[in-house]
Amino acid sequence: MIVVGLTGGIGSGKTTVAERFKTLGIPIYIADVEAKRLMRTSKIIKRKLIGLFGEKVYLNDELNKPFIAQKIFNNQELLQKMNAIVHPKVRRHFERWLDKQTSPYVIKESAILFENNLQEQCDFIILVTAPKEIRISRLLDRDNTTKEKIEAIMSNQLSEEEKIKHSDFVITNTTLKNTYNQVETIHKVLLKSVKKRKF
Protein backbone atom coordinates (compact mmCIF):
# COMPACT_ATOMS: atom_id res chain seq x y z
CA MET A 1 0.00 0.00 0.00
CA ILE A 2 1.38 3.39 -1.01
CA VAL A 3 1.33 5.95 1.80
CA VAL A 4 1.25 9.62 0.80
CA GLY A 5 2.14 12.13 3.49
CA LEU A 6 0.18 15.39 3.43
CA THR A 7 1.61 18.28 5.38
CA GLY A 8 1.81 22.04 5.50
CA GLY A 9 2.24 24.88 7.95
CA ILE A 10 -0.57 26.23 10.10
CA GLY A 11 -3.23 27.93 7.97
CA SER A 12 -1.95 26.47 4.69
CA GLY A 13 -5.19 24.59 3.97
CA LYS A 14 -4.32 20.93 4.53
CA THR A 15 -7.92 20.11 5.47
CA THR A 16 -9.24 21.60 2.20
CA VAL A 17 -6.77 19.48 0.21
CA ALA A 18 -7.50 16.34 2.26
CA GLU A 19 -11.25 16.74 1.73
CA ARG A 20 -10.70 16.99 -2.03
CA PHE A 21 -8.69 13.75 -2.07
CA LYS A 22 -11.49 12.16 -0.04
CA THR A 23 -14.04 13.03 -2.76
CA LEU A 24 -11.74 11.14 -5.18
CA GLY A 25 -12.15 8.00 -3.06
CA ILE A 26 -8.86 8.19 -1.17
CA PRO A 27 -8.94 7.30 2.56
CA ILE A 28 -7.51 10.02 4.82
CA TYR A 29 -5.83 9.42 8.18
CA ILE A 30 -5.59 12.67 10.13
CA ALA A 31 -2.74 12.10 12.58
CA ASP A 32 -3.41 15.25 14.64
CA VAL A 33 -7.06 14.25 15.25
CA GLU A 34 -6.08 10.69 16.18
CA ALA A 35 -3.34 11.98 18.50
CA LYS A 36 -5.87 14.11 20.42
CA ARG A 37 -8.32 11.18 20.58
CA LEU A 38 -5.63 8.87 21.98
CA MET A 39 -4.57 11.53 24.48
CA ARG A 40 -8.17 11.47 25.70
CA THR A 41 -8.77 7.68 25.67
CA SER A 42 -5.46 5.84 26.23
CA LYS A 43 -4.83 5.07 29.92
CA ILE A 44 -1.08 4.76 29.30
CA ILE A 45 -0.86 8.13 27.55
CA LYS A 46 -3.03 9.74 30.26
CA ARG A 47 -0.76 8.48 33.02
CA LYS A 48 2.38 9.69 31.23
CA LEU A 49 0.91 13.11 30.39
CA ILE A 50 -0.14 13.63 34.01
CA GLY A 51 3.43 12.72 34.99
CA LEU A 52 4.76 15.30 32.52
CA PHE A 53 2.31 18.19 33.00
CA GLY A 54 0.53 17.50 36.31
CA GLU A 55 -3.15 16.82 37.08
CA LYS A 56 -4.38 19.98 35.28
CA VAL A 57 -3.66 18.36 31.89
CA TYR A 58 -7.17 16.84 32.19
CA LEU A 59 -10.29 18.74 33.20
CA ASN A 60 -13.39 16.65 33.99
CA ASP A 61 -11.65 13.72 32.27
CA GLU A 62 -11.27 15.78 29.07
CA LEU A 63 -7.99 16.98 27.57
CA ASN A 64 -7.28 20.51 28.81
CA LYS A 65 -6.11 21.92 25.45
CA PRO A 66 -5.64 25.57 26.55
CA PHE A 67 -3.48 24.39 29.49
CA ILE A 68 -1.32 22.20 27.22
CA ALA A 69 -1.02 24.97 24.60
CA GLN A 70 0.15 27.38 27.29
CA LYS A 71 2.69 24.89 28.64
CA ILE A 72 4.28 23.99 25.29
CA PHE A 73 4.12 27.54 23.89
CA ASN A 74 7.77 28.40 23.09
CA ASN A 75 8.94 25.36 25.12
CA GLN A 76 10.48 23.05 22.54
CA GLU A 77 11.79 20.58 25.14
CA LEU A 78 8.35 20.02 26.69
CA LEU A 79 6.77 19.72 23.23
CA GLN A 80 9.30 17.02 22.26
CA LYS A 81 8.64 15.10 25.50
CA MET A 82 4.88 15.19 24.83
CA ASN A 83 5.39 14.02 21.24
CA ALA A 84 7.60 11.15 22.46
CA ILE A 85 4.68 9.95 24.60
CA VAL A 86 1.93 10.34 22.01
CA HIS A 87 3.43 9.66 18.57
CA PRO A 88 4.56 6.03 18.98
CA LYS A 89 0.93 5.16 19.87
CA VAL A 90 -0.37 7.12 16.87
CA ARG A 91 2.07 5.30 14.62
CA ARG A 92 0.83 1.90 15.79
CA HIS A 93 -2.79 3.01 15.40
CA PHE A 94 -2.03 4.17 11.84
CA GLU A 95 -0.44 0.80 10.98
CA ARG A 96 -3.58 -1.04 12.16
CA TRP A 97 -5.78 1.37 10.15
CA LEU A 98 -3.57 0.90 7.08
CA ASP A 99 -4.00 -2.89 7.17
CA LYS A 100 -7.76 -2.43 6.64
CA GLN A 101 -7.51 -0.18 3.56
CA THR A 102 -8.05 -1.45 0.00
CA SER A 103 -7.63 1.77 -2.06
CA PRO A 104 -4.73 2.32 -4.52
CA TYR A 105 -3.07 4.63 -1.98
CA VAL A 106 -3.87 6.39 1.30
CA ILE A 107 -3.11 9.83 2.67
CA LYS A 108 -1.67 10.47 6.09
CA GLU A 109 -2.19 14.09 7.06
CA SER A 110 0.10 15.57 9.71
CA ALA A 111 0.96 19.20 10.41
CA ILE A 112 4.29 18.15 11.92
CA LEU A 113 5.22 15.35 9.53
CA PHE A 114 8.81 16.56 9.02
CA GLU A 115 9.29 17.77 12.59
CA ASN A 116 8.54 14.24 13.85
CA ASN A 117 10.44 12.42 11.07
CA LEU A 118 7.19 10.83 9.86
CA GLN A 119 8.36 11.22 6.24
CA GLU A 120 10.14 7.88 6.71
CA GLN A 121 6.69 6.19 6.73
CA CYS A 122 5.70 7.78 3.40
CA ASP A 123 6.32 6.83 -0.23
CA PHE A 124 5.46 10.34 -1.43
CA ILE A 125 4.96 13.68 0.29
CA ILE A 126 2.58 16.48 -0.67
CA LEU A 127 3.23 19.90 0.84
CA VAL A 128 0.40 22.44 0.99
CA THR A 129 1.62 26.01 1.05
CA ALA A 130 0.28 29.55 0.83
CA PRO A 131 1.76 33.04 1.31
CA LYS A 132 2.32 33.87 4.99
CA GLU A 133 -0.12 36.80 5.04
CA ILE A 134 -2.91 34.67 3.58
CA ARG A 135 -2.26 31.97 6.18
CA ILE A 136 -2.35 34.52 9.02
CA SER A 137 -5.56 36.06 7.66
CA ARG A 138 -7.25 32.63 7.47
CA LEU A 139 -6.30 31.80 11.05
CA LEU A 140 -7.46 35.16 12.41
CA ASP A 141 -10.83 34.55 10.72
CA ARG A 142 -11.06 30.94 11.92
CA ASP A 143 -9.60 30.90 15.43
CA ASN A 144 -9.81 33.01 18.56
CA THR A 145 -6.14 33.99 18.41
CA THR A 146 -3.69 36.82 17.74
CA LYS A 147 -1.13 37.49 15.02
CA GLU A 148 1.66 37.17 17.62
CA LYS A 149 0.52 33.68 18.67
CA ILE A 150 0.23 32.56 15.04
CA GLU A 151 3.74 33.82 14.24
CA ALA A 152 5.12 32.07 17.34
CA ILE A 153 3.60 28.76 16.16
CA MET A 154 4.97 29.34 12.65
CA SER A 155 8.45 29.97 14.04
CA ASN A 156 8.32 26.55 15.78
CA GLN A 157 7.53 24.78 12.51
CA LEU A 158 10.11 23.91 9.87
CA SER A 159 10.50 26.64 7.22
CA GLU A 160 8.56 26.36 3.95
CA GLU A 161 11.88 26.29 2.05
CA GLU A 162 13.08 23.23 3.98
CA LYS A 163 9.74 21.44 3.55
CA ILE A 164 9.75 22.09 -0.22
CA LYS A 165 13.20 20.47 -0.50
CA HIS A 166 11.85 17.22 0.95
CA SER A 167 8.46 17.11 -0.80
CA ASP A 168 7.50 15.31 -4.02
CA PHE A 169 4.56 17.60 -4.77
CA VAL A 170 3.77 21.17 -3.71
CA ILE A 171 0.21 22.52 -3.78
CA THR A 172 -0.07 26.31 -3.66
CA ASN A 173 -3.41 26.88 -1.99
CA THR A 174 -4.60 30.38 -2.87
CA THR A 175 -7.85 29.82 -4.80
CA LEU A 176 -10.16 26.83 -4.44
CA LYS A 177 -10.44 26.10 -8.16
CA ASN A 178 -6.67 26.13 -8.66
CA THR A 179 -6.13 23.98 -5.57
CA TYR A 180 -8.67 21.38 -6.76
CA ASN A 181 -6.96 21.27 -10.18
CA GLN A 182 -3.60 20.62 -8.51
CA VAL A 183 -5.11 17.84 -6.37
CA GLU A 184 -6.61 16.11 -9.42
CA THR A 185 -3.30 16.32 -11.33
CA ILE A 186 -1.40 14.78 -8.40
CA HIS A 187 -4.08 12.09 -8.00
CA LYS A 188 -3.56 11.01 -11.63
CA VAL A 189 0.24 10.90 -11.17
CA LEU A 190 -0.13 8.80 -8.02
CA LEU A 191 -2.50 6.34 -9.70
CA LYS A 192 0.04 5.87 -12.53
CA SER A 193 2.77 5.29 -9.96
CA VAL A 194 0.63 2.62 -8.24
CA LYS A 195 0.10 0.82 -11.58
CA LYS A 196 3.85 0.84 -12.32
CA ARG A 197 4.62 -0.68 -8.93
CA LYS A 198 2.25 -3.58 -9.58
CA PHE A 199 4.34 -4.74 -12.54
Side-chain angles (χ1 to χ4, degrees):
M1 174 70 69
I2 285 181
V3 176
V4 180
L6 176 65
T7 192
I10 185 171
S12 60
K14 294 181 298 302
T15 303
T16 300
V17 170
E19 285 299 320
R20 191 60 178 173
F21 274 106
K22 198 173 179 181
T23 66
L24 297 170
I26 302 304
I28 313 291
Y29 183 93
I30 304 175
D32 305 340
V33 169
E34 294 302 333
K36 286 184 177 71
R37 187 185 63 78
L38 287 166
M39 287 165 83
R40 200 176 63 247
T41 59
S42 165
K43 288 178 183 177
I44 295 168
I45 290 177
K46 274 187 173 183
R47 189 176 69 245
K48 288 181 177 179
L49 288 178
I50 289 167
L52 181 64
F53 292 108
E55 294 289 339
K56 287 183 182 177
V57 73
Y58 291 96
L59 201 61
N60 300 323
D61 213 33
E62 286 293 320
L63 199 60
N64 189 348
K65 292 176 193 174
F67 174 78
I68 293 173
Q70 183 190 0
K71 284 286 184 182
I72 61 175
F73 188 68
N74 284 338
N75 189 332
Q76 202 65 28
E77 187 184 345
L78 203 56
L79 175 63
Q80 284 171 0
K81 284 180 179 177
M82 182 183 77
N83 287 340
I85 292 168
V86 177
H87 287 289
K89 282 273 188 187
V90 176
R91 182 172 188 152
R92 286 194 289 276
H93 183 268
F94 171 72
E95 285 165 357
R96 289 196 298 272
W97 175 86
L98 187 61
D99 284 341
K100 297 172 187 173
Q101 306 310 313
T102 56
S103 55
Y105 67 92
V106 301
I107 284 182
K108 181 176 187 176
E109 184 205 307
S110 173
I112 48 174
L113 188 129
F114 290 116
E115 289 83 348
N116 282 328
N117 292 317
L118 299 177
Q119 70 270 23
E120 294 165 10
Q121 300 173 22
C122 305
D123 299 285
F124 297 98
I125 292 169
I126 300 168
L127 173 68
V128 185
T129 187
K132 186 178 177 182
E133 288 310 311
I134 290 178
R135 291 165 61 199
I136 290 171
S137 175
R138 285 173 183 162
L139 291 162
L140 289 172
D141 287 343
R142 187 188 78 189
D143 301 338
N144 181 23
T145 189
T146 64
K147 188 175 179 180
E148 290 71 29
K149 282 185 179 177
I150 293 166
E151 287 181 334
I153 292 167
M154 286 179 172
S155 69
N156 275 332
Q157 294 183 333
L158 202 63
S159 72
E160 295 289 285
E161 292 77 16
E162 277 302 308
K163 287 177 182 175
I164 288 167
K165 280 183 201 173
H166 301 289
S167 299
D168 301 287
F169 306 98
V170 178
I171 291 175
T172 305
N173 179 27
T174 49
T175 68
L176 211 52
K177 185 181 177 184
N178 190 32
T179 297
Y180 285 177
N181 287 340
Q182 291 174 81
V183 167
E184 281 151 29
T185 300
I186 292 168
H187 177 62
K188 287 171 187 170
V189 172
L190 290 169
L191 289 178
K192 282 182 184 174
S193 179
V194 171
K195 282 182 182 176
K196 281 181 185 174
R197 288 190 181 206
K198 285 182 177 176
F199 294 105

